[in-house]
Amino acid sequence: MTVKQKQERIGRNELCFCGSGKKYKKCCGMQNYEISDSIQKQYLDRFGIRLKNEKDIEFIRRAGQLVSDTLSMVESAIHPGMTTDEINTLVHNYTIQHHAIPAPLNYKGFPKSVCTSVNDVICHGIPGDRVLKNGDIINVDVTSVLDGYFADANRTFFVGTPGQDAVKIVNVAKNSLKASLEMARPGNRIGDLGWAIQRYAEGQGCSVVREFVGHGIGFEFHEAPQVPHFGRKGTGVELIPGMVFTIEPMINLGSYKLKILEDKWTAITADGSLTAQFEQTILITDTGYESLTPFDL
Ligand code: MF3
Ligand code: CO
Ligand code: CO
């Protein structure tokens, strides 16, 4: 279904696409938006969401393939005894060699080219002299800019041989992302994605981090919409073809509460429990979704 067909399909008596739960004619349909306004304009004006065209998508797909390749390269390099700064160097050099720019470097003052988050670090870990040891888990979050287009993905890796808790949290985080991807199709809503994650993860006795969300991406690192990893079914903006955003659930073995360290970046679990994350950049297509940062889940 194209965006144009979608526009013709919205009836005045149907639920409004903005997620209010009201009929379209009693909501956005009665405001200053002409019926003739394209859905693209309404998504931009009302939600700040920039839909992507075929050309944009092809460029984001290329940036995304580079991000996926970078994560595979890191996977084969990771070993006990390595520092997180060595991972930073690998990611930085690989990105530059492929004519891309590492988006994290200097982003709002972030000092490195990748985020490396070990064990109880939820996200935004800064690479440094920490030495990885057997049994650690580490999330590596790569965002690259290629020909001006952004793509963002992350995976959590085992260092050496994992313990039981590590296996559990990594599996639950991976399956949480999978559960949300199953809801990623036109007609469903942003809230359905977080609902699916929360239902699955809490059902496994784990918790969902609240403070960090997925995000629109492509022209910028972080665009509208925000994509919470918890929430209510049937709420939020309706998913339509041409939307590109990340889903990146952070799942804790214990409580969802977190602390931010003195460096103002590193987020850790308040109770010291293990935490894991997987992230992909996806495109909503006519029939479902396409991962623009593909890797096996
Ligand atoms: N890649 C992270 C995300 O998924 C953002 C990292 S911001 C940085 O949104 F500055 F820490 F790189
Ligand atoms: Co992201
Ligand atoms: Co990321």
Side-chain angles (χ1 to χ4, degrees):
M1 175 169 52
T2 65
V3 170
K4 183 136 187 299
Q5 286 167 323
K6 174 78 204 171
Q7 174 189 358
E8 286 159 358
R9 201 175 65 81
I10 290 186
R12 309 232 347 121
N13 282 314
E14 285 182 56
L15 283 183
C16 190
F17 59 78
C18 77
S20 63
K22 295 184 205 154
K23 286 181 180 174
Y24 177 70
K25 69 179 179 190
K26 296 266 179 189
C27 188
C28 299
M30 70 185 277
Q31 298 176 27
N32 288 333
Y33 292 87
E34 297 294 325
I35 303 292
S36 61
D37 263 13
S38 67
I39 285 284
Q40 284 100 316
K41 183 164 173 5
Q42 295 202 28
Y43 265 59
L44 183 61
D45 291 349
R46 292 194 53 76
F47 314 124
I49 294 172
R50 298 170 73 185
L51 297 173
K52 274 72 181 179
N53 65 28
E54 280 305 324
K55 176 200 141 215
D56 300 328
I57 291 162
E58 181 52 30
F59 277 96
I60 302 168
R61 193 181 278 122
R62 286 181 203 166
Q65 188 58 52
L66 176 61
V67 167
S68 293
D69 293 347
T70 308
L71 287 168
S72 302
M73 178 276 295
V74 169
E75 177 181 34
S76 45
I78 279 184
H79 60 273
M82 172 181 222
T83 67
T84 51
D85 213 24
E86 288 173 317
I87 295 173
N88 182 71
T89 302
L90 287 173
V91 169
H92 183 91
N93 292 342
Y94 190 88
T95 306
I96 299 297
Q97 279 156 15
H98 290 83
H99 314 290
I101 299 164
L105 188 59
N106 300 321
Y107 176 77
K108 297 187 176 172
F110 192 80
K112 295 283 180 169
S113 297
V114 63
C115 297
T116 53
S117 303
V118 181
N119 295 343
D120 62 334
V121 178
I122 295 169
C123 63
H124 301 168
I126 302 173
D129 51 18
R130 181 170 184 158
V131 178
L132 299 178
K133 57 181 198 312
N134 185 54
D136 282 348
I137 58 174
I138 178 170
N139 179 276
V140 178
D141 191 340
V142 174
T143 313
S144 300
V145 195
L146 184 62
D147 296 322
Y149 286 86
F150 291 71
D152 184 10
N154 72 48
R155 292 166 59 186
T156 301
F157 301 111
F158 298 122
V159 181
T161 312
Q164 261 183 15
D165 284 356
V167 169
K168 160 127 193 188
I169 197 62
V170 168
N171 278 332
V172 174
K174 194 181 285 187
N175 290 334
S176 294
L177 177 54
K178 266 194 208 172
S180 62
L181 291 173
E182 282 167 15
M183 302 295 287
R185 59 173 173 273
N188 279 356
R189 290 170 185 274
I190 291 275
D192 298 338
L193 305 172
W195 169 82
I197 291 166
Q198 185 175 20
R199 188 180 66 139
Y200 169 74
E202 291 181 357
Q204 298 297 310
C206 298
S207 68
V208 179
V209 171
R210 308 291 203 256
E211 282 84 349
F212 302 103
V213 294
H215 49 92
I217 187 166
F219 303 127
E220 307 282 347
F221 198 158
H222 294 107
E223 301 175 19
Q226 296 198 352
V227 182
H229 303 114
F230 59 95
R232 282 179 25 239
K233 203 173 187 323
T235 62
V237 172
E238 185 174 333
L239 304 179
I240 61 170
M243 286 174 79
V244 175
F245 56 84
T246 74
I247 312 176
E248 47 183 299
M250 284 141 275
I251 309 298
N252 299 351
L253 208 46
S255 152
Y256 60 77
K257 295 202 177 122
L258 62 72
K259 290 190 245 183
I260 307 286
L261 297 188
E262 297 261 290
D263 61 23
K264 304 263 180 67
W265 282 104
T266 312
I268 63 169
T269 56
D271 60 9
S273 67
L274 282 180
T275 178
Q277 181 181 22
F278 287 82
E279 173 178 31
Q280 290 204 352
T281 292
I282 67 162
L283 162 73
I284 299 297
T285 64
D286 290 350
T287 53
Y289 75 93
E290 174 190 340
S291 176
L292 302 179
T293 51
F295 57 79
D296 286 341
L297 276 169

